[in-house]
Amino acid sequence: MDKINVVLDVINTIILGTGAVVAYRGLNIWREQLKGKGEYDLAKRYLRAAYKVRNALNDARNPWIPRSETTAALKERGFEDAESDERNKNFAVYSLRWKKVQDALLELDGESLEAEVAWGRDAVQARDELDAAVRALRNNISTLYDSSGNSPDDDVLYLTNRESDFDRTLRKAVEKIETFLKRYL
């Protein structure tokens, strides 16, 4: 009987040990899957935020200003349509359009901060070119309305049917972010 009990104890120990190893490996696999899913979700949110900034920049560059947009922009600034000259109307429109860029940038800031925590400084540096494009457009809009007498760069300020240098810069800026995030998607 003692030999049988010893054999049973050895078998139980082997079974328990195997179960512990399988459970440990299963937990590690589950942890890796959770990390992978979290990184995938973060990469997707980061990229979506970058696309929103790109789209908001292009919307701000639209040379066509419909009457309804002018009316809404003036109303938001507290003016009546009849009170404003063409310059003030356009300024109100660009201000409203720029607010959409700022909202998109706030979202991108949040996602890139989380990405920096997860992946380090490279995650933030991936958007440097996009930030430069944002500054370039902002500076050109400011130049349009300042009293310095300088003229803005129409290729930056206006979206046209032909691809401008600014369009290429913006496309490459977003591609840089896509390339960085590719490993997580």
Side-chain angles (χ1 to χ4, degrees), residues 62-74:
N62 186 351
W64 184 65
I65 301 175
R67 184 92 175 124
S68 59
E69 185 179 16
T70 301
T71 303
L74 287 170

Side-chain angles (χ1 to χ4, degrees), residues 19-124:
V21 168
V22 168
Y24 178 77
R25 289 191 69 213
L27 283 173
N28 282 339
I29 290 170
W30 178 65
R31 186 178 312 130
E32 287 175 21
Q33 286 176 336
L34 281 178
K35 181 182 177 195
K37 180 169 177 10
E39 288 181 341
Y40 172 81
D41 289 343
L42 175 57
K44 214 165 85 170
R45 289 192 320 267
Y46 189 163
L47 190 56
R48 183 180 308 118
Y51 289 159
K52 285 182 180 181
V53 170
R54 177 202 60 201
N55 292 349
L57 289 173
N58 284 332
D59 288 348
R61 296 173 64 216
N62 186 351
W64 184 65
I65 301 175
R67 184 92 175 124
S68 59
E69 185 179 16
T70 301
T71 303
L74 287 170
K75 186 175 184 176
E76 183 167 310
R77 294 188 62 85
F79 295 107
E80 292 297 321
D81 201 3
E83 297 174 359
S84 297
D85 61 15
E86 201 60 33
R87 185 170 196 250
N88 285 336
K89 289 177 184 179
N90 289 342
F91 181 76
V93 168
Y94 275 111
S95 296
L96 186 61
R97 288 178 178 183
W98 195 256
K99 185 179 180 318
K100 293 175 185 175
V101 173
Q102 289 175 317
D103 291 345
L105 281 170
L106 281 174
E107 184 176 340
L108 181 62
D109 288 344
E111 299 304 344
S112 64
L113 181 63
E114 191 172 336
E116 183 179 15
V117 170
W119 304 315
R121 184 77 184 125
D122 291 345
V124 176

Side-chain angles (χ1 to χ4, degrees), residues 114-135:
E114 191 172 336
E116 183 179 15
V117 170
W119 304 315
R121 184 77 184 125
D122 291 345
V124 176
Q125 289 173 339
R127 67 176 271 194
D128 285 349
E129 292 175 23
L130 183 59
D131 290 335
V134 169
R135 284 189 302 275

